[in-house]
Amino acid sequence: MKYQSTRGASEQLSFEDVLLKGLANDGGLFVPTELPKFSNEDLTRLATLSYEALAFEIMWPFVEGCISAVDFRALIDDAYAQFNHSAVAPLVQIDQRTWVLELFHGPTLAFKDFALQLLGRLLNHFLSKRNQHGVVMGATSGDTGSAAIEACVACDHLDIFILHPHQRVSEVQRRQMTTVLSDNVHNIALEGHFDNCQQMVKTSFADQSFLPEGRQLIAVNSINWARIMAQIVYYFSSALALGAPQKQISFSVPTGNFGDIYAGYLAKQMGLPIGQLVVATNANNILHRAISANDYSKQGLQKTYSPSMDIMVSSNFERLLFDAFDQNGEALKAEMESFAATGELSLPAEVYQNVITHFSSAALDDEDTLTWIRDTFAQSGYLADPHTAIGIGAAAACRRSDDEVMVCLATAHAAKFEDAVKASGVDQEVVLPAHLTDLLDREESYEVIENNLETVQSWIQQQVNI
């Protein structure tokens, strides 16, 4: 399978090249030139498989020709052996037609582990094959950083640099990154917000001259196609467990950067019978405004109880727009360049219609978020983290009928957001899993750096040269 840029001016590449490159030369994001299709007969067969076997079947068409089937299956098995639940992505019922898909049973208690545990192993595999050493540079609004570090810390061929917004992630999120004391792990607390971190990463990928000779940047953010690919799997696993293909399943997805719900859109395009795809956002609601009012414009960033969604610009939305523009990369490039210059984007009527055909949306502020944490616990005994609570609230707001089966993606463990749980008034102790019980006592290591590209790149250069 080949991959093309959303902006149309970059050459088509293999999976291996896309994995190591991250961002296309023309500034676009890579997407496959075609998608594998699964018939109802295929889905019925897949429903009997373990999560690991299903992951192989869903992802194999995307990587075939770049890695042997034996090696790929071994990497999958090793990645998900790190999860502490035998189902890997278990479902929990919270009312008659609503289920929670728990995606936090990986080593860092967040859904990012599903993609990054595999991504780290894929990177090490291909870099080892090439006898190269890569430099991972990533931005995080909270969960990506720790998941990426956990995936890369044991990789011989990688140094990893993660930028997080200083004092804008939860203490547990920060400590999961900064207490990993290894020579190849480097944490930067940037004096700014997530979008500053994300833009710095994108700019650095466009011009890597600050790196020593023979080193290249590698992306672990969801701009890397492999992240999206791995997230497609749990849409299949949950829908099949709930009766697909005989039943149609809807999903409510808390999302800031659009990567997680874009994976659901791809699953639908691949043949999975999905009803609604609900975009659930917080007060930083650019995606809700884009879907409900055709207003994809930047607004000031608000600090919320759901920091992983405190994002002003959703990078992966461009991947969806590529399809909405009928894969006209030149037209999309013009729109994205205009958006970069003005901070505003209103889609042509036909393109906007293509978007809302597949998505509905809702935005919850902090007060609503705390209400849904409290009410969900009172009604079902289920303790949701603030992001998951937003997904549950959005599902209720967008439900079209009483018999619609809705799966809400639980993107993180509630223990990562103790402040929100306490603020909700829920009388329930929030306990970290056993392997993290001493987290708040561990030694930290990170560098607070001003929001200046040259300063950050100079610091990275010094660490790489050590």
PDB file of all heavy atoms in Angstrom, residues 151-167:
ATOM      1  N   ALA A 151       6.820   3.907  25.609  1.00  0.00           N
ATOM      2  CA  ALA A 151       7.024   3.054  24.438  1.00  0.00           C
ATOM      3  C   ALA A 151       8.447   3.114  23.912  1.00  0.00           C
ATOM      4  O   ALA A 151       8.911   2.153  23.286  1.00  0.00           O
ATOM      5  CB  ALA A 151       6.057   3.470  23.333  1.00  0.00           C
ATOM      6  N   CYS A 152       9.134   4.229  24.147  1.00  0.00           N
ATOM      7  CA  CYS A 152      10.446   4.435  23.517  1.00  0.00           C
ATOM      8  C   CYS A 152      11.634   4.275  24.470  1.00  0.00           C
ATOM      9  O   CYS A 152      12.782   4.209  24.014  1.00  0.00           O
ATOM     10  CB  CYS A 152      10.514   5.830  22.895  1.00  0.00           C
ATOM     11  SG  CYS A 152       9.396   6.092  21.503  1.00  0.00           S
ATOM     12  N   VAL A 153      11.381   4.231  25.774  1.00  0.00           N
ATOM     13  CA  VAL A 153      12.483   4.250  26.734  1.00  0.00           C
ATOM     14  C   VAL A 153      13.443   3.076  26.533  1.00  0.00           C
ATOM     15  O   VAL A 153      14.653   3.208  26.747  1.00  0.00           O
ATOM     16  CB  VAL A 153      11.948   4.282  28.185  1.00  0.00           C
ATOM     17  CG1 VAL A 153      11.165   3.015  28.516  1.00  0.00           C
ATOM     18  CG2 VAL A 153      13.072   4.506  29.169  1.00  0.00           C
ATOM     19  N   ALA A 154      12.938   1.940  26.097  1.00  0.00           N
ATOM     20  CA  ALA A 154      13.799   0.762  25.931  1.00  0.00           C
ATOM     21  C   ALA A 154      14.298   0.593  24.499  1.00  0.00           C
ATOM     22  O   ALA A 154      14.920  -0.424  24.176  1.00  0.00           O
ATOM     23  CB  ALA A 154      13.050  -0.491  26.365  1.00  0.00           C
ATOM     24  N   CYS A 155      14.040   1.583  23.639  1.00  0.00           N
ATOM     25  CA  CYS A 155      14.436   1.481  22.236  1.00  0.00           C
ATOM     26  C   CYS A 155      15.882   1.942  22.056  1.00  0.00           C
ATOM     27  O   CYS A 155      16.209   3.105  22.324  1.00  0.00           O
ATOM     28  CB  CYS A 155      13.509   2.317  21.353  1.00  0.00           C
ATOM     29  SG  CYS A 155      11.795   1.745  21.351  1.00  0.00           S
ATOM     30  N   ASP A 156      16.724   1.042  21.586  1.00  0.00           N
ATOM     31  CA  ASP A 156      18.146   1.346  21.440  1.00  0.00           C
ATOM     32  C   ASP A 156      18.430   2.417  20.401  1.00  0.00           C
ATOM     33  O   ASP A 156      19.468   3.064  20.446  1.00  0.00           O
ATOM     34  CB  ASP A 156      18.908   0.075  21.041  1.00  0.00           C
ATOM     35  CG  ASP A 156      18.760  -1.045  22.054  1.00  0.00           C
ATOM     36  OD1 ASP A 156      18.535  -0.725  23.242  1.00  0.00           O
ATOM     37  OD2 ASP A 156      18.853  -2.213  21.660  1.00  0.00           O
ATOM     38  N   HIS A 157      17.525   2.583  19.457  1.00  0.00           N
ATOM     39  CA  HIS A 157      17.796   3.452  18.309  1.00  0.00           C
ATOM     40  C   HIS A 157      17.064   4.785  18.379  1.00  0.00           C
ATOM     41  O   HIS A 157      16.916   5.462  17.370  1.00  0.00           O
ATOM     42  CB  HIS A 157      17.424   2.717  17.013  1.00  0.00           C
ATOM     43  CG  HIS A 157      18.266   1.513  16.744  1.00  0.00           C
ATOM     44  ND1 HIS A 157      19.406   1.549  15.969  1.00  0.00           N
ATOM     45  CD2 HIS A 157      18.156   0.229  17.171  1.00  0.00           C
ATOM     46  CE1 HIS A 157      19.947   0.347  15.913  1.00  0.00           C
ATOM     47  NE2 HIS A 157      19.202  -0.476  16.640  1.00  0.00           N
ATOM     48  N   LEU A 158      16.632   5.179  19.583  1.00  0.00           N
ATOM     49  CA  LEU A 158      15.839   6.399  19.705  1.00  0.00           C
ATOM     50  C   LEU A 158      16.262   7.253  20.893  1.00  0.00           C
ATOM     51  O   LEU A 158      16.545   6.728  21.983  1.00  0.00           O
ATOM     52  CB  LEU A 158      14.355   6.054  19.875  1.00  0.00           C
ATOM     53  CG  LEU A 158      13.606   5.485  18.676  1.00  0.00           C
ATOM     54  CD1 LEU A 158      12.232   4.996  19.121  1.00  0.00           C
ATOM     55  CD2 LEU A 158      13.466   6.542  17.591  1.00  0.00           C
ATOM     56  N   ASP A 159      16.322   8.568  20.691  1.00  0.00           N
ATOM     57  CA  ASP A 159      16.272   9.556  21.762  1.00  0.00           C
ATOM     58  C   ASP A 159      14.908  10.219  21.668  1.00  0.00           C
ATOM     59  O   ASP A 159      14.397  10.450  20.572  1.00  0.00           O
ATOM     60  CB  ASP A 159      17.361  10.625  21.590  1.00  0.00           C
ATOM     61  CG  ASP A 159      18.744  10.099  21.908  1.00  0.00           C
ATOM     62  OD1 ASP A 159      18.930   9.583  23.019  1.00  0.00           O
ATOM     63  OD2 ASP A 159      19.636  10.213  21.045  1.00  0.00           O
ATOM     64  N   ILE A 160      14.305  10.560  22.799  1.00  0.00           N
ATOM     65  CA  ILE A 160      12.961  11.120  22.769  1.00  0.00           C
ATOM     66  C   ILE A 160      12.902  12.435  23.534  1.00  0.00           C
ATOM     67  O   ILE A 160      13.398  12.535  24.667  1.00  0.00           O
ATOM     68  CB  ILE A 160      11.906  10.120  23.302  1.00  0.00           C
ATOM     69  CG1 ILE A 160      10.502  10.722  23.237  1.00  0.00           C
ATOM     70  CG2 ILE A 160      12.241   9.610  24.692  1.00  0.00           C
ATOM     71  CD1 ILE A 160       9.382   9.723  23.433  1.00  0.00           C
ATOM     72  N   PHE A 161      12.315  13.433  22.897  1.00  0.00           N
ATOM     73  CA  PHE A 161      12.119  14.759  23.478  1.00  0.00           C
ATOM     74  C   PHE A 161      10.620  15.073  23.434  1.00  0.00           C
ATOM     75  O   PHE A 161      10.033  15.116  22.355  1.00  0.00           O
ATOM     76  CB  PHE A 161      12.891  15.821  22.692  1.00  0.00           C
ATOM     77  CG  PHE A 161      14.378  15.672  22.757  1.00  0.00           C
ATOM     78  CD1 PHE A 161      15.043  14.776  21.917  1.00  0.00           C
ATOM     79  CD2 PHE A 161      15.129  16.409  23.664  1.00  0.00           C
ATOM     80  CE1 PHE A 161      16.414  14.623  21.971  1.00  0.00           C
ATOM     81  CE2 PHE A 161      16.506  16.263  23.732  1.00  0.00           C
ATOM     82  CZ  PHE A 161      17.153  15.370  22.884  1.00  0.00           C
ATOM     83  N   ILE A 162      10.038  15.295  24.602  1.00  0.00           N
ATOM     84  CA  ILE A 162       8.609  15.589  24.684  1.00  0.00           C
ATOM     85  C   ILE A 162       8.415  16.992  25.262  1.00  0.00           C
ATOM     86  O   ILE A 162       8.958  17.325  26.322  1.00  0.00           O
ATOM     87  CB  ILE A 162       7.875  14.559  25.555  1.00  0.00           C
ATOM     88  CG1 ILE A 162       7.933  13.170  24.901  1.00  0.00           C
ATOM     89  CG2 ILE A 162       6.427  14.991  25.783  1.00  0.00           C
ATOM     90  CD1 ILE A 162       7.209  13.073  23.568  1.00  0.00           C
ATOM     91  N   LEU A 163       7.618  17.797  24.553  1.00  0.00           N
ATOM     92  CA  LEU A 163       7.279  19.140  24.999  1.00  0.00           C
ATOM     93  C   LEU A 163       5.870  19.121  25.591  1.00  0.00           C
ATOM     94  O   LEU A 163       4.920  18.705  24.918  1.00  0.00           O
ATOM     95  CB  LEU A 163       7.306  20.137  23.835  1.00  0.00           C
ATOM     96  CG  LEU A 163       8.656  20.582  23.263  1.00  0.00           C
ATOM     97  CD1 LEU A 163       9.345  19.443  22.500  1.00  0.00           C
ATOM     98  CD2 LEU A 163       8.459  21.782  22.332  1.00  0.00           C
ATOM     99  N   HIS A 164       5.743  19.569  26.838  1.00  0.00           N
ATOM    100  CA  HIS A 164       4.408  19.740  27.412  1.00  0.00           C
ATOM    101  C   HIS A 164       4.253  21.187  27.891  1.00  0.00           C
ATOM    102  O   HIS A 164       5.242  21.835  28.237  1.00  0.00           O
ATOM    103  CB  HIS A 164       4.152  18.753  28.557  1.00  0.00           C
ATOM    104  CG  HIS A 164       4.894  19.054  29.835  1.00  0.00           C
ATOM    105  ND1 HIS A 164       6.130  18.506  30.134  1.00  0.00           N
ATOM    106  CD2 HIS A 164       4.576  19.843  30.909  1.00  0.00           C
ATOM    107  CE1 HIS A 164       6.541  18.927  31.312  1.00  0.00           C
ATOM    108  NE2 HIS A 164       5.608  19.743  31.817  1.00  0.00           N
ATOM    109  N   PRO A 165       3.022  21.722  27.881  1.00  0.00           N
ATOM    110  CA  PRO A 165       2.822  23.101  28.319  1.00  0.00           C
ATOM    111  C   PRO A 165       3.003  23.217  29.834  1.00  0.00           C
ATOM    112  O   PRO A 165       2.323  22.526  30.598  1.00  0.00           O
ATOM    113  CB  PRO A 165       1.379  23.409  27.888  1.00  0.00           C
ATOM    114  CG  PRO A 165       0.717  22.084  27.792  1.00  0.00           C
ATOM    115  CD  PRO A 165       1.776  21.101  27.392  1.00  0.00           C
ATOM    116  N   HIS A 166       3.919  24.069  30.247  1.00  0.00           N
ATOM    117  CA  HIS A 166       4.268  24.208  31.663  1.00  0.00           C
ATOM    118  C   HIS A 166       3.043  24.584  32.494  1.00  0.00           C
ATOM    119  O   HIS A 166       2.326  25.535  32.186  1.00  0.00           O
ATOM    120  CB  HIS A 166       5.356  25.286  31.807  1.00  0.00           C
ATOM    121  CG  HIS A 166       5.913  25.415  33.193  1.00  0.00           C
ATOM    122  ND1 HIS A 166       6.216  24.332  33.984  1.00  0.00           N
ATOM    123  CD2 HIS A 166       6.219  26.534  33.933  1.00  0.00           C
ATOM    124  CE1 HIS A 166       6.705  24.755  35.136  1.00  0.00           C
ATOM    125  NE2 HIS A 166       6.710  26.077  35.137  1.00  0.00           N
ATOM    126  N   GLN A 167       2.784  23.765  33.524  1.00  0.00           N
ATOM    127  CA  GLN A 167       1.693  23.976  34.484  1.00  0.00           C
ATOM    128  C   GLN A 167       0.307  23.901  33.842  1.00  0.00           C
ATOM    129  O   GLN A 167      -0.663  24.429  34.370  1.00  0.00           O
ATOM    130  CB  GLN A 167       1.870  25.322  35.225  1.00  0.00           C
ATOM    131  CG  GLN A 167       3.145  25.373  36.053  1.00  0.00           C
ATOM    132  CD  GLN A 167       3.337  26.685  36.785  1.00  0.00           C
ATOM    133  OE1 GLN A 167       2.780  27.716  36.406  1.00  0.00           O
ATOM    134  NE2 GLN A 167       4.145  26.664  37.834  1.00  0.00           N
TER     135      GLN A 167
END
